[in-house]
Amino acid sequence: MDSLGLDDSDEPRDVELSSLSAIYPEIQQVHPDDRYTIVLDIPVTPSKAVVVSFPATQEASADPEQRLPHVNGNGNAAQNGGTVVDQQELAHLPPVHLEIAFGHDYPAEKPPKIAISTTPPWLPAETIKKLEDDGPRLWEEMGRDIVGFTYIDHVQQAAEDVFGLVDKTGALEVDPQHKIAILDYDIQARRAAFERETFDCGVCLDPKKGSACHKMMDCGHVFCIDCLQDCYNKAIQEGDLAAVRCLEPNCAKAREKSAARLPGEKKKKVRTRISPSELLQIPLDQEVVKRYVTLRYKTELESDKNTIYCPRPWCNGAARSKKHKKPQGLELGEASDDSGDENDQDGENGSKKKPYSGAELLAICEECSFAFCSRCLQSWHGEFFRCTPRRDKEELTAEEQASLEYMKLHTTPCPTCAAPAQKTHGCNHMICQRCQSHFCYLCSAWLDPGNPYQHFNEMPNGRVTGCYMRLWELENGDGDDVGLGFAGGVGGGPGGDDRAAVDVPDLPEVGADEPADDVIIWRENPGPDGLPFEPVEAFNGPEEENVAPVVIDREGPLVLRIGGQEENRIITILEEEDGEEGGDSSNSMRSKLVDVGPLSSAEVAPAPPNGAEEDEEEPLAQQQPPGGAQQQRRNNINNNNQNQNQNNREGDGLQGGDAWPVADDDPEAEGVLILNAEQAAWVRQFVQLALDDEEPEDDDQDDDDDAQR
Amino acid sequence: MASQKRIAKELSECMANPPAGMRVSLANDADVHKWHIVLEGPPNTPYVGGTFGLVIVLPPEYPFKAPVVTFATRIYHPNVTNDTPGKICLGLLKTENWKPSFKIQTVLQAVRGLLVEPQPDDPLEARIADEFRSDRKEFEKNARQYVTQYAKGPVKFDKKLTSTAGDAAATPGASSS
């Protein structure tokens, strides 16, 4: 009111302006020195969203699918077949700008002067003219009296049905040249409305103002920015790209269902991944989004078996390919979105064309632009040179060899994309993080996502697989470092002792009296070099009635399951180092016997070879690293061509030889922990067979650890 | 921090308005990451009359990582391992299915739903699942016997069995359920 500089004069115009500005506080003066000319924006927010159509122009048809997040998503442009009509459903139209001048002979002599405009000028001239004429008309109807409020109210009401411009089908036609501005205004208005609202964030469960929230572009669910940042930053940091999706339960499923109802079966998969641009909008740090984009590109390359990598050791970039475009800045290449069918077909074609002819061998690195031959991996030699594929094995460094070996031992490839998976804990039903295939960790079989556990159970036809009842084998994970990498792993799975140290003192007692459900023998795989395998045959043979059902399975670590004994327990063969006759140390065979408590597999303890030497328990228990139990178990199923690097690692983990209460100079005397007379018999036989291949221990540092066990 | 706040919120909600047939408490007042739930065997099931202890361990990353739920009381059920602690393979709790907007209440209801309606097609104990399918009477008899044997009287939460800390660093390469 003050801004209008009104005083208490009796002038009817002043009285009117004072009440008007009380009703419409947003009223402003055009000029400070002319207080009788006021301006006011009347918002045009139809009670029901209006379909605004922009009749064909080249610009409109060129960009029919323009994605506008806050437009209700009904951009059904191209759907109308041939007719190029671009339609958008809008809830907000640019406001009507009202300028009213109350002349000095108002209200007695003359009506107020009214000028109406919109920015952009989307309102047709006739409508403007009609609205402007309504002023004097109303003034007449009022009996030439003050008409300000009546008129403004009239315009407001007219705005509710967009001044009668909406036809019966609820559509409004607007000159396409104003399209961008009108859509822009709608977005801004919706955002403003959104920010005023309050939402309950489903993650932190707190009510949050819209301004602190983000609405997911694809599904419209709302979460608070803090939670989204927390979740996505963590997921991207860990490389868990699948977690970068809407956090609403069943969001993708619900959308899949509704999408399935629509015709056109091709688009079966709904987009669940979040685009980098949306992540930036949330906002996530540019660095994080960059990592996300890079990881997605990398995953895509890696899941394509045909990807060729740059042979330059310092580069290792991927060769340029039509299928996978390198992301430009923070945008993913377009090809990445329509993966699936196309890629598969390409793959087939690719394999048919082998052997490549001439120019197809040329590969150019995305990163360093090195041109090389994809067959011999030398710099490009022209298409007429006949080259031979480089032999990989010779090129591997010891380190690479070591990690390959480790992967061979402790990972299972996904049956679909061959990505190696290493289990850290849990059951043997795996889901590939790269391609989401379900598979069995033991045998790498593809599992039906609808009923993955069937594989571990009886089939409908009554048959069973080799993995029958083995869902929980290797529950504590697979690998040397099992248990070190995640919180739950320390001390083994549920039921394990929290102390990482292993309870050696319990061994004899445990061995004496507690019954258990079954016995598992972990034994080494003979490995590619084909070490003899008599021990297994040995107790497959005459001892069979004692060791009832024996199941031998898996190409990797061999696992025997023996049930039905009176005093059953988990036994592994004591680790010992015994090189093959004349073989090198990497071919040495290692085995060990470990007695384990009946229930908690976490308490697997390396048994002191010379019976239970109770004096030595304490140092052992203390020096065992966290996760030692699992590590120990892991060792039991290690392949015998384990390399030296790994031995070193184990040694480090166990802090050298002092931990093991076994005389260094007496590897031959390695005894077994005798559980009872019955078992002792076959264990002896078993060990003897293993010892047959043995040769005296050398004093090589690498072997010490093993020798001491 | 955010995690503590949310857990506190869920806890007070669950305590004030516990899911049907359940009592919720903390294993230890200083630690909101471990809950003890006493679950009454739902009516019209062989489990009626029994009280079952459930332990929920919330990982430090909760709610971004799924809670770990185990039965502290032995139970004869196709979807719970027949030992202590009884592991549950519940779809909702698998890494790839978990969403931060699931609540513990949702999880508890799902567990109770499993008692009302076992899922023999997705079993952890195949033998019990077979029995459930082919010889329902025998199954119910066994389940009732387990209730008499293990699920009568106050629930015992064995400290040792329930002390395994939260779970689940992301598995490199793949997730297991």
Side-chain angles (χ1 to χ4, degrees), chain A residues 517-667:
Chain A
D517 293 337
D518 58 14
V519 166
I520 300 168
I521 302 241
W522 304 92
R523 214 203 149 291
E524 279 122 294
N525 187 329
D529 48 6
L531 267 183
F533 212 53
E534 297 91 328
V536 172
E537 287 157 274
F539 59 79
N540 249 337
E543 304 289 335
E544 197 140 32
E545 62 254 71
N546 286 343
V547 290
V550 176
V551 185
I552 305 175
D553 256 306
R554 193 186 182 188
E555 292 150 308
L558 182 74
V559 178
L560 301 182
R561 179 177 290 266
I562 302 167
Q565 278 191 302
E566 190 194 277
E567 290 201 345
N568 293 334
R569 58 198 51 268
I570 296 164
I571 294 174
T572 59
I573 299 146
L574 255 184
E575 179 160 298
E576 60 184 51
E577 182 74 51
D578 57 345
E580 211 179 357
E581 205 83 52
D584 61 33
S585 67
S586 70
N587 273 340
S588 64
M589 176 172 164
R590 294 137 34 102
S591 56
K592 74 183 110 133
L593 168 68
V594 172
D595 185 5
V596 179
L599 285 173
S600 99
S601 51
E603 289 180 13
V604 173
N610 296 325
E613 293 186 8
E614 304 211 357
D615 302 352
E616 299 284 346
E617 290 150 20
E618 223 32 55
L620 176 64
Q622 282 161 3
Q623 293 186 29
Q624 189 78 342
Q630 293 92 325
Q631 182 170 356
Q632 202 58 37
R633 263 182 83 185
R634 182 65 252 171
N635 287 345
N636 299 336
I637 51 175
N638 275 347
N639 199 315
N640 53 5
N641 53 4
Q642 197 159 12
N643 57 73
Q644 299 199 340
N645 281 1
Q646 196 179 323
N647 287 345
N648 280 336
R649 240 178 96 192
E650 286 167 5
D652 294 344
L654 295 169
Q655 303 188 1
D658 299 339
W660 302 100
V662 182
D664 280 7
D665 56 350
D666 195 11

Side-chain angles (χ1 to χ4, degrees), chain A residues 330-465:
Chain A
L330 293 174
E331 278 309 315
L332 280 165
E334 288 212 345
S336 63
D337 274 348
D338 44 10
S339 49
D341 305 346
E342 201 194 321
N343 283 0
D344 294 345
Q345 283 164 8
D346 282 11
E348 278 164 31
N349 294 345
S351 53
K352 274 176 200 156
K353 273 180 201 157
K354 273 180 194 170
Y356 308 94
S357 59
E360 281 174 37
L361 288 170
L362 171 62
I364 296 167
C365 173
E366 283 268 23
E367 305 296 326
C368 66
S369 301
F370 178 51
F372 60 96
C373 168
S374 56
R375 182 157 63 200
C376 67
L377 301 182
Q378 301 296 323
S379 66
W380 183 234
H381 43 57
E383 51 186 288
F384 301 113
F385 180 81
R386 281 193 67 134
C387 59
T388 46
R390 187 150 88 164
R391 292 188 58 194
D392 280 3
K393 273 192 180 164
E394 292 164 4
E395 301 298 330
L396 291 178
T397 64
E399 201 181 334
E400 285 165 339
Q401 189 77 42
S403 47
L404 281 180
E405 290 296 350
Y406 187 89
M407 276 166 61
K408 212 153 108 193
L409 285 173
H410 300 305
T411 67
T412 304
C414 164
T416 310
C417 71
Q422 184 185 17
K423 188 169 91 170
T424 59
H425 66 293
C427 70
N428 285 320
H429 164 216
M430 309 293 287
I431 295 171
C432 178
Q433 231 174 34
R434 181 182 291 164
C435 69
Q436 320 299 323
S437 296
H438 295 240
F439 64 98
C440 168
Y441 191 74
L442 296 177
C443 69
S444 187
W446 181 88
L447 304 182
D448 179 5
N451 187 6
Y453 299 102
Q454 182 113 73
H455 180 72
F456 305 96
N457 288 317
E458 204 176 300
M459 299 287 176
N461 57 13
R463 292 202 190 159
V464 293
T465 65

Side-chain angles (χ1 to χ4, degrees), chain A residues 202-203 205-206 231 238 245-249 422 425 427 429 431 433 451 453 457 471-472 475 486 488 498, chain B residues 5-6 9 64-65 87 94 96 98-99 101-102 121-124 126 163 166-167 169 171 173-177:
Chain A
V203 179
L205 310 178
D206 281 336
C231 183
E238 288 175 358
R245 58 179 171 177
C246 172
L247 306 183
E248 184 74 10
Q422 184 185 17
H425 66 293
C427 70
H429 164 216
I431 295 171
Q433 231 174 34
N451 187 6
Y453 299 102
N457 288 317
L471 180 61
W472 289 97
E475 191 200 334
F486 72 105
D498 261 354
Chain B
K5 201 173 153 197
R6 158 152 174 178
K9 207 163 200 166
F64 301 119
K65 293 272 152 66
K87 294 185 228 19
K94 293 179 190 171
E96 71 278 5
W98 175 258
K99 296 249 190 153
S101 47
F102 285 127
D121 294 332
D122 198 7
L124 280 179
S163 61
D167 142 65
T171 315
S175 59
S176 173
S177 50

Side-chain angles (χ1 to χ4, degrees), chain A residues 97-309:
Chain A
H97 186 76
L98 210 56
E99 188 177 319
I100 308 177
F102 301 104
H104 55 86
D105 38 9
Y106 168 87
E109 317 266 310
K110 281 199 173 158
K113 266 190 217 151
I114 291 163
I116 286 178
S117 62
T118 52
T119 319
W122 60 274
L123 213 54
E126 314 86 78
T127 312
I128 290 179
K129 178 81 171 55
K130 190 172 157 283
L131 278 176
E132 284 174 349
D133 290 347
D134 281 345
R137 187 173 58 78
L138 285 171
W139 174 73
E140 291 282 1
E141 279 173 19
M142 296 289 289
R144 301 190 165 206
D145 203 348
I146 52 170
V147 77
F149 173 76
T150 316
Y151 181 68
I152 294 172
D153 189 52
H154 167 76
V155 176
Q156 267 182 333
Q157 281 181 23
E160 256 168 47
D161 67 338
V162 201
F163 313 106
L165 289 171
V166 179
D167 62 21
K168 280 180 195 114
T169 58
L172 169 73
E173 205 166 282
V174 171
D175 191 328
Q177 64 173 322
H178 307 312
K179 179 182 163 187
I180 302 291
I182 285 183
L183 295 184
D184 243 23
Y185 178 80
D186 185 67
I187 291 167
Q188 276 168 22
R190 276 176 203 250
R191 156 138 307 164
F194 174 79
E195 287 183 356
R196 280 191 300 271
E197 255 182 279
T198 307
F199 300 91
D200 279 329
C201 171
V203 179
C204 59
L205 310 178
D206 281 336
K208 296 268 173 119
K209 271 268 167 254
S211 49
C213 288
H214 174 81
K215 186 172 180 177
M216 308 305 285
M217 281 182 185
D218 287 323
C219 56
H221 293 120
V222 176
F223 298 96
C224 85
I225 291 171
D226 288 344
C227 288
L228 287 175
Q229 285 175 337
D230 257 19
C231 183
Y232 294 157
N233 279 337
K234 201 162 280 172
I236 294 170
Q237 206 50 50
E238 288 175 358
D240 183 6
L241 298 185
V244 183
R245 58 179 171 177
C246 172
L247 306 183
E248 184 74 10
N250 301 323
C251 172
K253 255 183 212 161
R255 281 159 62 211
E256 230 158 66
K257 249 186 211 163
S258 63
R261 273 188 222 119
L262 294 172
E265 244 180 75
K266 243 201 158 182
K267 282 207 168 177
K268 235 183 172 180
K269 261 194 170 175
V270 294
R271 219 172 69 114
T272 54
R273 290 179 150 183
I274 297 174
S275 70
S277 58
E278 181 167 8
L279 291 178
L280 283 172
Q281 262 187 35
I282 287 176
L284 254 54
D285 273 357
Q286 202 154 335
E287 279 307 306
V288 177
V289 179
K290 212 169 192 173
R291 181 174 154 83
Y292 175 69
V293 171
T294 318
L295 281 178
R296 264 178 67 171
Y297 172 63
K298 224 177 116 191
T299 323
E300 204 183 293
L301 285 174
E302 280 168 2
S303 56
D304 184 351
K305 290 175 188 170
N306 296 329
T307 302
I308 299 159
Y309 292 93

